[in-house]
């Protein structure tokens, strides 16, 4: 006869067993990370990392957006980055490098939180980091959230119990990324204390990945070369790891800036390729292009004139815009698409120049004055026509936000911290 106090333990083991069956041989895919994501774009909230002015045009082609970075990232600029992504239909998730980057606002905006766990780093990069994050959630984040939602007279013991439950629920909703870092010269390696001796062979990487899936129950296994293309070595690891995983998704990131490299990693076994630096390169590149356009072209230049200028001035084939688009398997002609987007960007900048003249002549004294003057425009706002294909009904709102931000900054009428899209490339 089974003792009464043994029933909960048996029930717990039964639930665990059912979970294992569901993950491995069940008819349904229980992994919360969609299997059809083939391309993820990583956005760094760091203020120095800008976004293209018409970033929705580029991001319409990616499967999802990851928000997170290693340096100069704060809760504030993370929230700002998520605010930029809200009008888009592309899902965005949060990959925080520090627990305090997670706020109630980012949690509500993100499809999920992805928590890194480095498999070949020191114990602090796995257990220590998770412990710090759990402490923050339990002692700061959840109490703050609950204090706003529960009556002020709620007993402390009830608040404490609710915080415990909320902490466990938040962690259960998180996605865990099991990283294998293979570039010892990267910032990620330095943070996780990964050096040359910690780099994994193909077989060791396979073993680590199997442990991540079966013991840690990591939803993602992430082979990270962080800024360097892994080539044949990465392909061999991906092939071996891919054959050993049943439930976890397998992602690759590092040095992807061409179709050949991205497709090679997918063909080797990666479910998803992740790109980051090349997307921010688009913004840096277009800032210079648009500065030249403002010098060379009239604000009233028509689309034909702008297209001819782009053709004569920009080597589209070698542009960052084409390189980024070439990493997306679904973009059939990256060169032609990049040219269209660069023309759209230059036209938008010229339209902003024309609108800026009208606004400046009215003599606004505050950001609110700029908002009023922009709202009085009955014509299509700068960039609005291009954003309609990606932002739909929100295209005018997004175009308005961009116009107000750019013009407020140019007229020195607002603190940067008050501006929701200060990350845009043309705000230099």
């Amino acid at each position: 006869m089974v003792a009464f106090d043994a029933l909960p333990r048996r029930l717990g083991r039964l639930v665990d067993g059912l979970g294992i069956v569901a993950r491995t041989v069940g008819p349904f895919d229980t992994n919360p990370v969609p299997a059809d994501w083939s391309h993820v774009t990583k956005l760094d909230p760091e203020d120095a990392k800008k976004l293209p002015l018409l970033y929705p045009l580029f991001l319409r082609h990616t499967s999802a957006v990851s928000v997170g970075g290693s340096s100069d990232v704060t809760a504030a600029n993370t929230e700002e980055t998520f605010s930029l992504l809200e009008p888009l239909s592309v899902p965005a998730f949060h990959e925080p490098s520090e627990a305090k980057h997670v706020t109630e606002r980012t949690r509500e905006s993100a499809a999920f939180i992805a928590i890194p766990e480095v498999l070949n780093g020191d114990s602090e990069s796995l257990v220590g980091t998770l412990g710090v994050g759990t402490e923050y959630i339990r002692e700061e984040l959840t109490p703050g959230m609950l204090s706003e939602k529960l009556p002020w007279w709620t007993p402390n013991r009830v608040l404490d119990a609710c915080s415990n439950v909320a902490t466990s629920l938040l962690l259960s909703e998180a996605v865990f990324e099991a990283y294998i870092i293979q570039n010892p010269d990267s910032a990620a390696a330095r943070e996780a204390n990964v050096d040359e001796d910690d780099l994994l062979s193909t077989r060791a990487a396979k073993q680590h990945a199997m442990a991540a899936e079966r013991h840690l129950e990591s939803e993602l296994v992430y082979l990270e070369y962080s800024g360097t293309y892994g080539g044949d070595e990465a392909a061999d690891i991906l092939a071996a790891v891919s054959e050993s995983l049943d439930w976890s998704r397998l992602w690759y990131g590092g040095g992807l800036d061409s179709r050949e490299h991205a497709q090679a990693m997918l063909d080797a076994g990666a479910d998803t390729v992740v790109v980051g630096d090349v997307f921010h390169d688009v913004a840096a590149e277009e800032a210079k292009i648009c500065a030249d356009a403002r010098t060379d072209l009239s604000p009233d230049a028509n689309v034909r004139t702008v297209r001819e200028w782009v053709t004569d001035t920009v080597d589209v084939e070698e542009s960052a815009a084409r390189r980024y688009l070439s990493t997306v398997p679904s973009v059939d002609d990256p060169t032609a698409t990049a040219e269209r987007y660069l023309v759209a960007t230059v036209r938008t900048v010229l339209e902003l120049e024309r609108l800026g003249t009208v606004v400046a002549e009215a003599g606004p004294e505050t950001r609110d004055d700029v908002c009023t003057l922009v709202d009085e425009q009955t014509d299509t706002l700068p960039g609005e026509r291009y954003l309609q294909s990606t932002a739909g009904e929100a295209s005018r709102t997004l175009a308005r936000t961009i116009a107000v931000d750019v013009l407020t900054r140019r007229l020195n009428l607002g603190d940067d911290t008050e501006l929701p899209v200060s990350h845009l490339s043309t705000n230099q």
Side-chain angles (χ1 to χ4, degrees):
M1 184 173 182
V2 180
F4 180 76
D5 59 0
L7 290 177
R9 292 193 294 274
R10 291 199 172 187
L11 180 59
R13 286 196 290 270
L14 176 61
V15 171
D16 290 342
L18 291 174
I20 292 171
V21 171
R23 285 196 301 274
T24 55
V25 299
F28 303 108
D29 185 354
T30 61
N31 193 317
V33 180
D36 60 353
W37 286 2
S38 61
H39 186 276
V40 168
T41 300
K42 194 165 187 174
L43 298 191
D44 193 327
E46 178 186 347
D47 292 340
K49 300 285 184 71
K50 301 297 182 182
L51 275 64
L53 177 64
L54 298 180
Y55 62 92
L57 297 185
F58 292 90
L59 294 180
R60 68 186 296 186
H61 300 289
T62 195
S63 304
V65 176
S66 168
V67 177
S70 301
S71 304
D72 299 321
V73 177
T74 66
N77 59 27
T78 300
E79 288 183 348
E80 180 180 281
T81 301
F82 273 108
S83 73
L84 292 172
L85 302 172
E86 284 176 0
L88 309 185
S89 58
V90 176
F93 64 94
H94 190 189
E95 186 182 4
S97 55
E98 289 187 20
K100 291 189 177 182
H101 298 163
V102 179
T103 67
E104 185 171 7
R105 182 176 172 188
T106 63
R107 193 179 68 82
E108 291 174 350
S109 299
F112 54 78
I113 297 173
I115 300 178
E117 35 187 22
V118 181
L119 300 182
N120 59 330
D122 62 15
S123 63
E124 283 301 305
S125 65
L126 182 61
V127 180
T129 300
L130 182 57
V132 170
T134 304
E135 179 186 50
Y136 166 71
I137 293 171
R138 171 62 182 83
E139 298 185 3
E140 296 184 47
L141 182 62
T142 55
M145 292 167 49
L146 292 170
S147 66
E148 296 178 359
K149 293 177 170 46
L150 296 176
W152 64 267
W153 43 262
T154 303
N156 287 335
R157 60 186 180 81
V158 175
L159 284 173
D160 193 60
C162 289
S163 290
N164 277 331
V165 172
T167 298
S168 296
L169 286 175
L170 284 175
L171 287 173
S172 70
E173 293 171 357
V175 164
F176 286 85
E177 293 178 302
Y179 270 82
I180 298 173
I181 297 176
Q182 293 289 90
N183 178 7
D185 296 324
S186 64
R190 288 191 294 274
E191 288 188 4
N193 290 320
V194 174
D195 58 28
E196 290 284 350
D197 294 335
D198 297 311
L199 304 185
L200 301 182
S201 66
T202 298
R203 185 175 183 185
K206 172 185 174 182
Q207 293 168 346
H208 280 60
M210 294 175 71
E213 180 181 66
R214 289 165 173 77
H215 177 61
L216 300 177
E217 298 182 2
S218 304
E219 288 83 356
L220 293 172
V221 173
Y222 195 131
L223 181 61
E224 174 67 280
Y225 278 78
S226 192
T228 300
Y229 179 58
D232 292 340
E233 176 187 285
D236 290 343
I237 293 175
L238 288 170
V241 172
S242 173
E243 293 177 356
S244 70
L245 298 179
D246 294 317
W247 179 74
S248 300
R249 308 288 186 231
L250 178 58
W251 288 13
Y252 170 86
L256 296 178
D257 62 0
S258 71
R259 171 142 304 175
E260 177 186 8
H261 287 171
Q263 194 61 54
M265 296 299 99
L266 291 169
D267 291 343
D271 297 309
T272 305
V273 292
V274 182
V275 300
D277 290 344
V278 69
F279 182 74
H280 290 295
D281 289 344
V282 176
E285 175 183 75
E286 77 172 24
K288 182 181 184 308
I289 291 172
C290 290
D292 292 341
R294 291 169 65 186
T295 300
D296 296 345
L297 298 172
S298 164
D300 297 319
N302 59 33
V303 64
R304 179 178 178 180
T305 301
V306 172
R307 185 178 296 112
E308 290 174 351
W309 182 88
V310 169
T311 301
D312 293 340
T313 307
V314 182
D315 186 350
V316 177
E317 189 67 31
E318 296 299 321
S319 68
R322 190 206 64 81
R323 292 200 307 274
Y324 168 75
L325 291 166
S326 72
T327 67
V328 187
S330 61
V331 178
D332 294 329
D333 191 338
T335 302
T337 305
E339 182 172 330
R340 287 201 310 273
Y341 292 174
L342 289 172
V343 169
T345 299
V346 171
R347 285 203 71 200
T348 299
V349 165
L350 296 176
E351 291 170 356
L352 281 168
E353 194 80 359
R354 188 167 61 247
L355 177 59
T357 300
V358 174
V359 170
E361 288 176 350
E365 297 181 355
T366 66
R367 186 175 188 275
D368 288 340
D369 292 342
V370 176
C371 290
T372 300
L373 291 166
V374 170
D375 288 341
E376 290 175 354
Q377 301 298 311
T378 57
D379 297 334
T380 301
L381 292 176
E384 183 179 352
R385 66 172 65 87
Y386 302 114
L387 295 171
Q388 285 176 345
S389 60
T390 58
E393 294 180 357
S395 59
R396 187 169 182 86
T397 300
L398 184 55
R400 174 187 181 275
T401 301
I402 292 173
V404 169
D405 178 21
V406 171
L407 299 181
T408 299
R409 285 173 64 93
R410 287 184 183 174
L411 294 170
N412 296 316
L413 297 178
D415 188 325
D416 285 357
T417 59
E418 300 173 355
L419 302 174
V421 284
S422 59
H423 280 306
L424 298 185
S425 65
T426 54
N427 279 334
Q428 302 295 321

Short mmCIF file of all heavy atoms in Angstrom, two decimals, residues 53-57 84 86-89 348 351 374-375 379-404:
data_model
loop_
_atom_site.label_atom_id
_atom_site.label_comp_id
_atom_site.label_asym_id
_atom_site.label_seq_id
_atom_site.Cartn_x
_atom_site.Cartn_y
_atom_site.Cartn_z
N LEU A 53 16.52 53.96 -41.07
CA LEU A 53 15.37 54.84 -40.92
C LEU A 53 14.07 54.10 -41.19
O LEU A 53 13.11 54.20 -40.42
CB LEU A 53 15.51 56.04 -41.86
CG LEU A 53 14.34 57.03 -41.87
CD1 LEU A 53 14.21 57.71 -40.51
CD2 LEU A 53 14.51 58.05 -42.98
N LEU A 54 14.02 53.35 -42.28
CA LEU A 54 12.82 52.57 -42.62
C LEU A 54 13.05 51.10 -42.25
O LEU A 54 12.88 50.19 -43.06
CB LEU A 54 12.50 52.72 -44.11
CG LEU A 54 12.19 54.15 -44.57
CD1 LEU A 54 11.88 54.17 -46.06
CD2 LEU A 54 11.01 54.74 -43.79
N TYR A 55 13.42 50.90 -40.99
CA TYR A 55 13.75 49.55 -40.52
C TYR A 55 12.64 48.52 -40.74
O TYR A 55 12.94 47.33 -40.96
CB TYR A 55 14.15 49.59 -39.04
CG TYR A 55 13.06 50.08 -38.12
CD1 TYR A 55 12.20 49.19 -37.50
CD2 TYR A 55 12.89 51.44 -37.87
CE1 TYR A 55 11.20 49.64 -36.67
CE2 TYR A 55 11.89 51.89 -37.04
CZ TYR A 55 11.04 50.99 -36.44
OH TYR A 55 10.04 51.44 -35.62
N PRO A 56 11.34 48.92 -40.75
CA PRO A 56 10.32 47.90 -40.99
C PRO A 56 10.43 47.25 -42.36
O PRO A 56 10.04 46.08 -42.52
CB PRO A 56 9.00 48.69 -40.87
CG PRO A 56 9.33 49.84 -39.98
CD PRO A 56 10.73 50.21 -40.37
N LEU A 57 10.96 47.96 -43.36
CA LEU A 57 11.11 47.37 -44.69
C LEU A 57 12.07 46.19 -44.63
O LEU A 57 11.82 45.14 -45.24
CB LEU A 57 11.63 48.41 -45.68
CG LEU A 57 10.74 49.62 -45.97
CD1 LEU A 57 11.37 50.48 -47.07
CD2 LEU A 57 9.34 49.19 -46.38
N LEU A 84 9.94 50.48 -30.71
CA LEU A 84 10.11 50.59 -32.16
C LEU A 84 9.49 49.41 -32.89
O LEU A 84 9.03 49.53 -34.02
CB LEU A 84 11.61 50.63 -32.48
CG LEU A 84 12.41 51.85 -32.06
CD1 LEU A 84 13.90 51.61 -32.31
CD2 LEU A 84 11.97 53.09 -32.79
N GLU A 86 6.88 47.48 -31.87
CA GLU A 86 5.48 47.19 -31.58
C GLU A 86 4.56 47.28 -32.80
O GLU A 86 3.63 46.48 -32.93
CB GLU A 86 4.98 48.11 -30.47
CG GLU A 86 5.48 47.67 -29.09
CD GLU A 86 5.07 48.64 -27.99
OE1 GLU A 86 4.40 49.65 -28.33
OE2 GLU A 86 5.40 48.41 -26.83
N PRO A 87 4.76 48.24 -33.74
CA PRO A 87 3.84 48.31 -34.87
C PRO A 87 4.01 47.18 -35.89
O PRO A 87 3.19 47.04 -36.79
CB PRO A 87 4.18 49.67 -35.53
CG PRO A 87 4.99 50.41 -34.53
CD PRO A 87 5.70 49.36 -33.74
N LEU A 88 5.06 46.39 -35.77
CA LEU A 88 5.37 45.39 -36.78
C LEU A 88 4.67 44.07 -36.49
O LEU A 88 4.36 43.75 -35.35
CB LEU A 88 6.88 45.17 -36.86
CG LEU A 88 7.75 46.42 -37.01
CD1 LEU A 88 9.20 46.04 -37.20
CD2 LEU A 88 7.27 47.29 -38.16
N SER A 89 4.46 43.30 -37.54
CA SER A 89 3.85 41.98 -37.38
C SER A 89 4.89 40.91 -37.05
O SER A 89 4.53 39.81 -36.62
CB SER A 89 3.10 41.58 -38.66
OG SER A 89 4.00 41.56 -39.77
N THR A 348 12.51 59.47 -48.39
CA THR A 348 11.95 59.81 -47.08
C THR A 348 12.76 60.91 -46.41
O THR A 348 12.21 61.84 -45.82
CB THR A 348 11.90 58.56 -46.18
OG1 THR A 348 11.06 57.56 -46.79
CG2 THR A 348 11.34 58.90 -44.80
N GLU A 351 11.93 64.14 -48.06
CA GLU A 351 10.60 64.60 -47.63
C GLU A 351 10.66 65.17 -46.22
O GLU A 351 9.98 66.15 -45.91
CB GLU A 351 9.61 63.43 -47.70
CG GLU A 351 9.28 62.99 -49.11
CD GLU A 351 8.49 61.69 -49.17
OE1 GLU A 351 8.28 61.10 -48.08
OE2 GLU A 351 8.11 61.25 -50.26
N VAL A 374 3.17 68.78 -37.27
CA VAL A 374 3.18 67.56 -38.09
C VAL A 374 1.76 67.04 -38.27
O VAL A 374 1.37 66.62 -39.37
CB VAL A 374 4.08 66.48 -37.46
CG1 VAL A 374 3.91 65.13 -38.17
CG2 VAL A 374 5.55 66.92 -37.51
N ASP A 375 0.97 67.10 -37.21
CA ASP A 375 -0.41 66.61 -37.30
C ASP A 375 -1.26 67.45 -38.24
O ASP A 375 -2.29 66.98 -38.75
CB ASP A 375 -1.06 66.61 -35.91
CG ASP A 375 -0.51 65.51 -35.02
OD1 ASP A 375 0.07 64.56 -35.57
OD2 ASP A 375 -0.65 65.61 -33.79
N ASP A 379 -1.18 65.87 -46.16
CA ASP A 379 -0.57 65.01 -47.16
C ASP A 379 0.04 63.78 -46.49
O ASP A 379 0.12 63.69 -45.26
CB ASP A 379 0.51 65.76 -47.93
CG ASP A 379 -0.05 66.93 -48.72
OD1 ASP A 379 -1.24 66.87 -49.07
OD2 ASP A 379 0.70 67.90 -48.96
N THR A 380 0.46 62.84 -47.32
CA THR A 380 1.16 61.66 -46.82
C THR A 380 2.44 62.09 -46.12
O THR A 380 3.21 62.89 -46.65
CB THR A 380 1.50 60.71 -47.98
OG1 THR A 380 0.29 60.33 -48.64
CG2 THR A 380 2.19 59.46 -47.46
N LEU A 381 2.68 61.58 -44.93
CA LEU A 381 3.88 61.94 -44.18
C LEU A 381 5.11 61.25 -44.77
O LEU A 381 4.99 60.22 -45.45
CB LEU A 381 3.70 61.54 -42.72
CG LEU A 381 2.67 62.32 -41.91
CD1 LEU A 381 2.54 61.74 -40.52
CD2 LEU A 381 3.04 63.80 -41.83
N PRO A 382 6.30 61.80 -44.52
CA PRO A 382 7.52 61.17 -45.03
C PRO A 382 7.61 59.70 -44.64
O PRO A 382 7.50 59.35 -43.46
CB PRO A 382 8.63 61.99 -44.37
CG PRO A 382 8.02 63.34 -44.15
CD PRO A 382 6.59 63.06 -43.80
N GLY A 383 7.80 58.86 -45.64
CA GLY A 383 7.95 57.42 -45.41
C GLY A 383 6.66 56.65 -45.26
O GLY A 383 6.67 55.42 -45.27
N GLU A 384 5.52 57.35 -45.13
CA GLU A 384 4.26 56.66 -44.84
C GLU A 384 3.90 55.65 -45.92
O GLU A 384 3.46 54.53 -45.63
CB GLU A 384 3.15 57.68 -44.66
CG GLU A 384 1.81 57.06 -44.29
CD GLU A 384 0.72 58.11 -44.10
OE1 GLU A 384 1.04 59.33 -44.12
OE2 GLU A 384 -0.45 57.71 -43.95
N ARG A 385 4.08 56.03 -47.18
CA ARG A 385 3.70 55.14 -48.28
C ARG A 385 4.51 53.86 -48.28
O ARG A 385 4.03 52.80 -48.66
CB ARG A 385 3.85 55.86 -49.63
CG ARG A 385 5.28 56.20 -50.00
CD ARG A 385 5.38 56.73 -51.42
NE ARG A 385 4.69 57.99 -51.55
CZ ARG A 385 5.26 59.18 -51.29
NH1 ARG A 385 6.51 59.22 -50.84
NH2 ARG A 385 4.59 60.30 -51.44
N TYR A 386 5.76 53.96 -47.84
CA TYR A 386 6.62 52.77 -47.83
C TYR A 386 6.32 51.88 -46.63
O TYR A 386 6.50 50.66 -46.69
CB TYR A 386 8.09 53.19 -47.79
CG TYR A 386 8.48 54.06 -48.97
CD1 TYR A 386 8.85 55.39 -48.80
CD2 TYR A 386 8.45 53.55 -50.27
CE1 TYR A 386 9.20 56.19 -49.88
CE2 TYR A 386 8.79 54.35 -51.36
CZ TYR A 386 9.17 55.67 -51.16
OH TYR A 386 9.50 56.45 -52.23
N LEU A 387 5.87 52.48 -45.54
CA LEU A 387 5.60 51.72 -44.32
C LEU A 387 4.27 50.98 -44.37
O LEU A 387 4.04 50.07 -43.58
CB LEU A 387 5.63 52.66 -43.11
CG LEU A 387 6.99 53.31 -42.81
CD1 LEU A 387 6.83 54.38 -41.73
CD2 LEU A 387 8.00 52.26 -42.37
N GLN A 388 3.39 51.37 -45.29
CA GLN A 388 2.06 50.76 -45.33
C GLN A 388 2.12 49.26 -45.56
O GLN A 388 1.28 48.51 -45.07
CB GLN A 388 1.22 51.44 -46.41
CG GLN A 388 0.73 52.82 -46.02
CD GLN A 388 -0.02 53.53 -47.13
OE1 GLN A 388 0.06 53.12 -48.29
NE2 GLN A 388 -0.73 54.58 -46.79
N SER A 389 3.12 48.81 -46.32
CA SER A 389 3.20 47.39 -46.65
C SER A 389 3.63 46.55 -45.45
O SER A 389 3.44 45.34 -45.44
CB SER A 389 4.18 47.16 -47.80
OG SER A 389 5.47 47.62 -47.43
N THR A 390 4.22 47.20 -44.43
CA THR A 390 4.71 46.45 -43.28
C THR A 390 4.00 46.78 -41.98
O THR A 390 3.86 45.93 -41.12
CB THR A 390 6.21 46.71 -43.09
OG1 THR A 390 6.42 48.12 -42.90
CG2 THR A 390 7.01 46.26 -44.28
N ALA A 391 3.54 48.02 -41.86
CA ALA A 391 2.90 48.44 -40.61
C ALA A 391 1.40 48.59 -40.75
O ALA A 391 0.70 48.83 -39.76
CB ALA A 391 3.51 49.75 -40.12
N GLY A 392 0.86 48.49 -41.96
CA GLY A 392 -0.58 48.55 -42.17
C GLY A 392 -1.19 49.84 -41.66
O GLY A 392 -0.72 50.94 -41.96
N GLU A 393 -2.24 49.70 -40.85
CA GLU A 393 -2.95 50.87 -40.34
C GLU A 393 -2.07 51.71 -39.41
O GLU A 393 -2.35 52.88 -39.18
CB GLU A 393 -4.21 50.42 -39.60
CG GLU A 393 -5.26 49.77 -40.50
CD GLU A 393 -6.48 49.35 -39.74
OE1 GLU A 393 -6.51 49.51 -38.50
OE2 GLU A 393 -7.43 48.84 -40.37
N ALA A 394 -1.02 51.10 -38.89
CA ALA A 394 -0.14 51.84 -37.99
C ALA A 394 0.92 52.65 -38.74
O ALA A 394 1.75 53.32 -38.11
CB ALA A 394 0.56 50.87 -37.03
N SER A 395 0.89 52.61 -40.08
CA SER A 395 1.94 53.26 -40.86
C SER A 395 1.98 54.76 -40.62
O SER A 395 3.06 55.36 -40.51
CB SER A 395 1.77 52.96 -42.35
OG SER A 395 0.51 53.42 -42.81
N ARG A 396 0.81 55.42 -40.54
CA ARG A 396 0.83 56.87 -40.33
C ARG A 396 1.33 57.20 -38.92
O ARG A 396 2.08 58.15 -38.73
CB ARG A 396 -0.55 57.48 -40.56
CG ARG A 396 -0.50 59.02 -40.49
CD ARG A 396 -1.77 59.68 -40.98
NE ARG A 396 -1.65 61.14 -40.94
CZ ARG A 396 -1.14 61.89 -41.91
NH1 ARG A 396 -0.67 61.31 -43.01
NH2 ARG A 396 -1.07 63.19 -41.79
N THR A 397 0.91 56.40 -37.95
CA THR A 397 1.39 56.63 -36.58
C THR A 397 2.90 56.49 -36.51
O THR A 397 3.59 57.30 -35.87
CB THR A 397 0.72 55.65 -35.61
OG1 THR A 397 -0.70 55.84 -35.65
CG2 THR A 397 1.22 55.86 -34.19
N LEU A 398 3.44 55.46 -37.16
CA LEU A 398 4.87 55.24 -37.15
C LEU A 398 5.60 56.36 -37.90
O LEU A 398 6.62 56.88 -37.44
CB LEU A 398 5.20 53.88 -37.77
CG LEU A 398 6.65 53.44 -37.76
CD1 LEU A 398 7.22 53.47 -36.34
CD2 LEU A 398 6.78 52.04 -38.34
N ALA A 399 5.05 56.75 -39.06
CA ALA A 399 5.66 57.84 -39.82
C ALA A 399 5.62 59.15 -39.03
O ALA A 399 6.57 59.94 -39.07
CB ALA A 399 4.93 58.01 -41.16
N ARG A 400 4.54 59.37 -38.31
CA ARG A 400 4.42 60.57 -37.48
C ARG A 400 5.48 60.57 -36.38
O ARG A 400 6.14 61.58 -36.11
CB ARG A 400 3.03 60.65 -36.86
CG ARG A 400 2.83 61.78 -35.85
CD ARG A 400 1.47 61.64 -35.18
NE ARG A 400 1.23 62.72 -34.22
CZ ARG A 400 1.64 62.72 -32.96
NH1 ARG A 400 2.34 61.69 -32.50
NH2 ARG A 400 1.36 63.74 -32.16
N THR A 401 5.65 59.42 -35.73
CA THR A 401 6.64 59.31 -34.65
C THR A 401 8.05 59.60 -35.19
O THR A 401 8.83 60.33 -34.56
CB THR A 401 6.60 57.91 -34.03
OG1 THR A 401 5.30 57.67 -33.51
CG2 THR A 401 7.61 57.77 -32.91
N ILE A 402 8.37 59.03 -36.35
CA ILE A 402 9.68 59.26 -36.95
C ILE A 402 9.86 60.73 -37.29
O ILE A 402 10.90 61.34 -36.98
CB ILE A 402 9.85 58.39 -38.22
CG1 ILE A 402 9.92 56.91 -37.83
CG2 ILE A 402 11.08 58.81 -39.00
CD1 ILE A 402 9.92 55.96 -39.01
N ALA A 403 8.85 61.34 -37.91
CA ALA A 403 8.95 62.75 -38.30
C ALA A 403 9.13 63.65 -37.08
O ALA A 403 10.00 64.54 -37.06
CB ALA A 403 7.72 63.15 -39.09
N VAL A 404 8.33 63.43 -36.06
CA VAL A 404 8.40 64.27 -34.86
C VAL A 404 9.76 64.13 -34.19
O VAL A 404 10.39 65.11 -33.78
CB VAL A 404 7.26 63.92 -33.88
CG1 VAL A 404 7.49 64.61 -32.54
CG2 VAL A 404 5.91 64.34 -34.47
#
